[in-house]
Amino acid sequence: MKSLFPEISGQDINNISILALAQVGDAVYELMTRTMLCLSQPTAKKLHKARVALVNAAAQSRAASVLMPLFSPEEAAVFRRGRNAEPGNIPSASTREEYMAATGLEAVWGYLYLSGQTERLSELFEVLHEKSS
């Protein structure tokens, strides 16, 4: 069985569709958010409410705005590819711009995770946590 925590080379990552990177990134972003919230939310109901407030297109779009100036050139390129991808359906709870920025952020999260850059993920996530505290 292959590792669930792969370190995929740059060339191999470029062969993964940007929307697939965003799918992985969405899961990683949500897991990181749930983990952070578990430390401060004593009940499942409060955890769920707090998570819903942080893991949605509008919140992720705001997060992308905070992080964009900090992105490396590679991260910025992945973000742009994700933001410019055609996702299909856009949820009615968000604007197209919010959804596209959220997709870009998720693509960066997927890129960093799959390339084994977990310290960078933690660094960026910490910036967001500090900004929201």
Side-chain angles (χ1 to χ4, degrees):
M1 181 174 153
K2 290 187 177 185
S3 173
L4 293 177
F5 304 102
E7 289 188 28
I8 299 172
S9 72
Q11 182 58 40
D12 290 337
I13 285 220
N14 290 335
N15 292 331
I16 298 173
S17 88
I18 197 67
L19 291 177
L21 286 179
Q23 284 279 330
V24 171
D26 179 46
V28 172
Y29 190 88
E30 178 144 354
L31 179 60
M32 292 177 79
T33 300
R34 285 179 185 237
T35 301
M36 176 195 69
L37 292 172
C38 280
L39 302 175
S40 63
Q41 303 298 324
T43 66
K45 184 176 181 177
K46 288 182 180 180
L47 171 65
H48 175 74
K49 186 175 180 180
R51 184 205 39 94
V52 168
L54 294 173
V55 183
N56 62 64
Q60 288 176 316
S61 176
R62 289 188 299 274
S65 294
V66 169
L67 295 177
M68 277 190 290
L70 305 176
F71 285 161
S72 70
E74 295 83 14
E75 294 162 354
V78 170
F79 176 82
R80 284 189 302 274
R81 284 181 52 219
R83 183 193 60 206
N84 295 334
E86 283 300 324
N89 296 331
I90 296 174
S92 60
S94 65
T95 67
R96 179 175 180 76
E97 292 77 20
E98 289 171 335
Y99 191 75
M100 301 307 285
T103 301
L105 180 68
E106 291 167 350
V108 171
W109 245 244
Y111 165 79
L112 292 172
Y113 173 78
L114 289 176
S115 63
Q117 298 182 60
T118 55
E119 285 185 34
R120 180 65 174 152
L121 274 172
S122 294
E123 178 183 310
L124 292 174
F125 194 76
E126 184 64 30
V127 168
L128 293 178
H129 182 61
E130 288 173 5
K131 298 281 183 187
S132 66
S133 297

